[in-house]
Amino acid sequence: MWSDAASSTVGPQRGWLVIHGGGVVTSEVKDRFVALAGGPDANFVVIPTALPDKEIEEKYGKSQGQLFGVKHVTVLHTRDRVRANSPGFAEPLRHASGVWIDGGRQWRLADAYLGTTVLVEIKALLVRGGAVGGSSAGATVQGSFLVRGAPGTPGNPDGDNTIMMSPGHETGFGLLADSAIDQHIVARGRENDLHVVISSHPDLLGIGIDQAAAIVVHGDSFFVVGGQVAVHDGKQHDGAAYYFLSSGQAFDLKNRSLDKASESQSEYPLALSVTAATRSESKSGIKTVGTGTLESRNSSDAELKQINYECGVSLYSVGHNVYPARPDGTHQAKILAREVDTNKLREYTCKF
């Protein structure tokens, strides 16, 4: 179970993990991370330590830090474990409700922060109900088992990230218990790479996340945002060592299976595919307007209807998002979706 002794859940009981597979961070991933961390006025920390020193200087050297349009950002970086273990260095984490861990090489993060006050305070932030997000290396390090962790050498200062299991560098931050997390899986042909790890460590759940996709973890489940995620559970699935989840699908971490509640949607015979979306917020709440297609979820029915819609929830056009829908009168439908500050599926009204 998770490192919080009071928790009985696999993931953080009160907090959230936003684990991103690398590449472009989409608007939906940004919005969900910021909302789950308390909104744009909350205190955030960025940890760029996975990057080489030159890239950190270029990206953060002349600024206090920029992150997804939020107002209060502190950059936290060191390679000195003594400094990382000092209360003064970790102080910004005590006042933050959101931490974003940049991509690069995950061994740099492990070398700097494993067993230090920094990691203690990151976990404390989750216990308070905050959010930890990360992309690429910042995704992999959130698992308990560190894959692609071979450290740098004089001849190869970035390390060899083709090595899945590197003795001495196989421990991650453990924010998601009993897991090994890989990234860029489809974009870099890595779909099967976690198989060797899970074969050697069958107690682990392997989670491979493609570029621009993410999982949002809370309690005993996660759901997929904006792309594909490969699940390696040590079983064969139609001749493969993994199977894919797509955007919107949820996974039960305790039972290591699809979340049946989110899959049981027989009362929603239609599907809304969003092709354009503009979101706004007013006193009356969130509204998304745009274009999309409404079609039957029954593959034998090929009817496709192009629509202009207005929905009372945040919708997104990037990430192959398809929202289950049912008719609700003339030029109106109910759809199943999750607002950015929750993992719960709810019904929302769409007019078209």
Side-chain angles (χ1 to χ4, degrees), residues 5-344:
S7 175
S8 60
T9 57
V10 179
Q13 188 170 35
R14 296 188 61 202
W16 303 81
L17 304 177
V18 179
I19 306 177
H20 182 261
V24 175
V25 182
T26 65
S27 295
E28 182 171 9
V29 174
K30 293 175 185 177
D31 289 353
R32 289 190 182 279
F33 171 70
V34 172
L36 294 169
D41 292 325
N43 292 324
F44 290 81
V45 169
V46 175
I47 298 177
T49 305
L51 293 167
D53 291 337
K54 182 179 179 181
E55 291 186 33
I56 293 173
E57 179 63 28
E58 290 172 352
K59 190 172 183 179
Y60 296 105
K62 296 180 181 180
S63 70
Q64 285 296 105
Q66 297 179 356
L67 179 71
F68 306 156
V70 301
K71 297 178 181 178
H72 311 294
V73 185
T74 300
V75 178
L76 200 69
H77 166 65
T78 187
R79 303 206 190 281
D80 182 345
R81 289 179 52 79
V82 173
R83 189 180 182 207
N85 203 35
S86 66
F89 180 77
E91 182 68 18
L93 290 167
R94 298 188 185 94
H95 305 285
S97 57
V99 176
W100 185 264
I101 307 172
D102 255 353
R105 289 289 192 265
Q106 46 266 34
W107 63 267
R108 293 188 178 112
L109 292 162
D111 281 3
Y113 302 123
L114 277 179
T116 71
T117 302
V118 166
L119 185 51
V120 169
E121 293 300 337
I122 288 173
K123 292 181 177 181
L125 178 150
L126 290 170
V127 173
R128 295 195 301 270
V132 175
S135 184
S136 193
T140 292
V141 80
Q142 294 186 52
S144 59
F145 187 97
L146 192 72
V147 301
R148 305 186 193 277
T153 65
N156 184 11
D158 280 338
D160 186 344
N161 74 342
T162 66
I163 299 172
M164 294 301 290
M165 296 183 289
S166 177
H169 282 81
E170 294 179 338
T171 302
F173 285 180
L175 307 184
L176 181 55
D178 300 324
S179 69
I181 301 169
D182 202 7
Q183 9 81 7
H184 301 280
I185 61 162
V186 176
R188 298 184 183 177
R190 296 174 169 180
E191 297 93 332
N192 200 50
D193 286 9
L194 279 170
H195 177 57
V196 65
V197 179
I198 304 306
S199 295
S200 299
H201 302 277
D203 56 313
L204 298 175
L205 178 70
I207 304 172
I209 308 172
D210 196 23
Q211 287 188 177
I215 61 172
V216 177
V217 184
H218 179 69
D220 286 326
S221 69
F222 70 74
F223 66 90
V224 180
V225 175
Q228 288 188 304
V229 171
V231 174
H232 293 250
D233 59 3
K235 303 174 184 177
Q236 286 292 305
H237 301 275
D238 296 324
Y242 59 89
Y243 62 95
F244 278 113
L245 303 180
S246 58
S247 189
Q249 288 188 295
F251 187 82
D252 183 326
L253 285 164
K254 245 181 186 173
N255 296 316
R256 294 194 173 181
S257 63
L258 284 174
D259 186 321
K260 299 303 181 185
S262 67
E263 291 300 302
S264 178
Q265 298 168 2
S266 58
E267 66 270 36
Y268 297 90
L270 305 176
L272 171 63
S273 299
V274 175
T275 54
T278 301
R279 293 164 296 282
S280 61
E281 186 172 4
S282 65
K283 291 182 179 179
S284 59
I286 295 290
K287 181 175 71 174
T288 305
V289 298
T291 59
T293 60
L294 198 61
E295 61 183 313
S296 172
R297 297 178 73 192
N298 184 346
S299 58
S300 64
D301 187 347
E303 183 180 356
L304 186 70
K305 184 178 182 180
Q306 304 285 338
I307 63 168
N308 296 311
Y309 67 82
E310 178 183 307
C311 296
V313 63
S314 298
L315 301 182
Y316 296 85
S317 59
V318 176
H320 309 289
N321 293 313
V322 178
Y323 302 93
R326 63 178 177 85
D328 187 45
T330 305
H331 301 301
Q332 188 165 293
K334 295 287 190 182
I335 67 165
L336 273 183
R338 298 175 178 89
E339 195 43 272
V340 294
D341 60 352
T342 182
N343 62 345
K344 304 299 183 185

